[in-house]
Amino acid sequence: MTTPADTSPEPAPDRPGSPAPERRSWLRDHSELGVCAMLLALGVLVLADALTMDVDITQRGPVGPKTVPIVVGAGLLVIAALLAVDVLRGGRGEAEGGEDVDLSEPADWRTVLLLSGIFLGAAALIEPAGFPVAGALLFWGAAFALGSRRVDRDPLIAAVLSLLTYVVFDKLLGVPLPGGPLMGVL
């Protein structure tokens, strides 16, 4: 009696200098370690910056300007370590169930370029025209680029949103924004 021949495909010979398939498979299975490395580097950077911060003794109190950066940096280091342990134990991130992006479709470069142009235009207009005007053009242009064609409503919403943002930042929070020609009116 004859035995059936082994029909499993033979592995393709590797090119010289390429990593072994097992090595590539391990890296692909543990790709989340890249996020761990990024979190670790960011945590070290935040901690180093916080610890070398020059703070006047009169500015110090029970909670000084170093407290929040130190807590955030330590938190980043802890999260990086916990995520690395989870990944090395076999944990994997789950894909979001509610994501409705079709990865087989090409990117919409028209929208990306429109948004980039609108953003750069608003950045160029902030100084001469002021934030309220540049912000209104930014909000209206972004709504247009993303598909809204309501010319009766969108400019009004953009203007109100821009003025509200200007008032909150400039007047309430004390973050100076250029008012442009509307400085005397606002």
Side-chain angles (χ1 to χ4, degrees):
M1 192 163 152
T2 62
T3 60
D6 186 16
T7 58
S8 63
E10 285 194 31
D14 287 350
R15 288 174 284 184
S18 67
E22 297 82 27
R23 179 84 173 148
R24 270 187 276 157
S25 175
W26 189 89
L27 288 174
R28 180 168 291 169
D29 289 341
H30 297 89
S31 61
E32 289 94 348
L33 290 175
V35 175
C36 298
M38 182 195 67
L39 290 172
L40 178 73
L42 189 60
V44 168
L45 177 70
V46 169
L47 279 176
D49 195 35
L51 293 174
T52 59
M53 187 183 297
D54 186 27
V55 179
D56 188 16
I57 194 69
T58 60
Q59 294 177 341
R60 295 190 63 202
V63 178
K66 289 184 175 184
T67 305
V68 172
I70 288 174
V71 169
V72 169
L76 287 168
L77 293 179
V78 169
I79 289 172
L82 291 174
L83 182 59
V85 168
D86 181 52
V87 169
L88 292 174
R89 286 185 175 172
R92 297 198 44 113
E94 294 182 23
E96 291 191 32
E99 191 65 42
D100 61 351
V101 175
D102 186 6
L103 296 176
S104 65
E105 291 292 320
D108 185 7
W109 288 108
R110 179 184 175 273
T111 302
V112 171
L113 292 174
L114 268 172
L115 285 171
S116 299
I118 291 163
F119 180 77
L120 292 173
L125 285 175
I126 283 179
E127 204 51 50
F131 182 83
V133 173
L137 292 174
L138 173 69
F139 296 141
W140 186 19
F144 180 83
L146 293 173
S148 178
R149 300 294 186 258
R150 298 283 309 261
V151 294
D152 58 334
R153 171 188 73 174
D154 291 346
L156 181 62
I157 292 173
V160 168
L161 187 59
S162 180
L163 284 173
L164 185 65
T165 304
Y166 175 78
V167 168
V168 166
F169 276 87
D170 194 62
K171 306 298 183 200
L172 297 178
L173 296 176
V175 177
L177 294 175
L182 298 176
M183 185 62 88
V185 177
L186 299 175

